[in-house]
Amino acid sequence: MSLELEPLHTRTVMDEASLKLFLDRLEEQLERVSAVYAQLLFEQYQTRQRPRGMEAAEATQAALTINPEYQAVVARFLGRVGDPLLARRLVAWDQAFRSARVSAR
C-alpha cells in the first residue's frame, strides 16, 4: 500500500460544500495512512522488530496533522458553519491538530 499522498488544495475551500469535499479527502488520506501504520504495527508485534516503512508511515501521518494550511482551513470555518455534522467534524479536526502540535513539540 502506497503512502504517497497528493497535497490537498486549500485555496478552493470557500464554502461549506467545498469544505466537506476537503474534509472527505483529508479523512480518506488519514484512513489510508492509518491502515498502513496499523499493518506495520501488527508486523512489529509479531516479529518484535521495527518493520521497514514504519518511519515513513509515522512521518506521513504526522504531516497530515501538522500541515499549517490544513489547520488554517479548519480554523477559518470553526464555529462558522450551519451544518451540525460539519461543525462536529471541524471540532474533531481542530482537536486532532492541537494534539499533533503538542506531540510535535
Side-chain angles (χ1 to χ4, degrees):
M1 189 176 276
S2 173
L3 286 177
E4 303 250 346
L5 303 176
E6 288 185 34
L8 301 176
H9 300 287
T10 57
R11 293 181 189 166
T12 58
V13 183
M14 301 297 202
D15 55 18
E16 288 190 28
S18 58
L19 176 62
K20 285 179 187 179
L21 292 174
F22 171 80
L23 291 179
D24 287 347
R25 292 199 56 219
L26 181 57
E27 289 163 4
E28 287 169 9
Q29 288 186 349
L30 186 59
E31 187 175 326
R32 281 183 43 215
V33 172
S34 295
V36 170
Y37 185 69
Q39 189 176 14
L40 291 168
L41 275 178
F42 183 71
E43 183 180 328
Q44 179 174 316
Y45 292 136
Q46 285 184 316
T47 64
R48 301 197 192 297
Q49 295 178 4
R50 191 161 173 91
R52 280 188 331 173
M54 183 69 90
E55 291 83 12
E58 290 170 341
T60 304
Q61 195 171 40
L64 286 174
T65 56
I66 62 171
N67 185 310
E69 290 181 22
Y70 300 170
Q71 292 175 14
V73 168
V74 169
R76 189 170 71 234
F77 284 94
L78 194 62
R80 294 182 173 96
V81 296
D83 180 352
L85 178 58
L86 185 56
R88 177 63 190 118
R89 288 172 74 187
L90 287 170
V91 168
W93 273 107
D94 183 58
Q95 291 171 343
F97 290 145
R98 289 174 189 269
S99 178
R101 283 195 302 266
V102 169
S103 295
R105 289 182 194 154

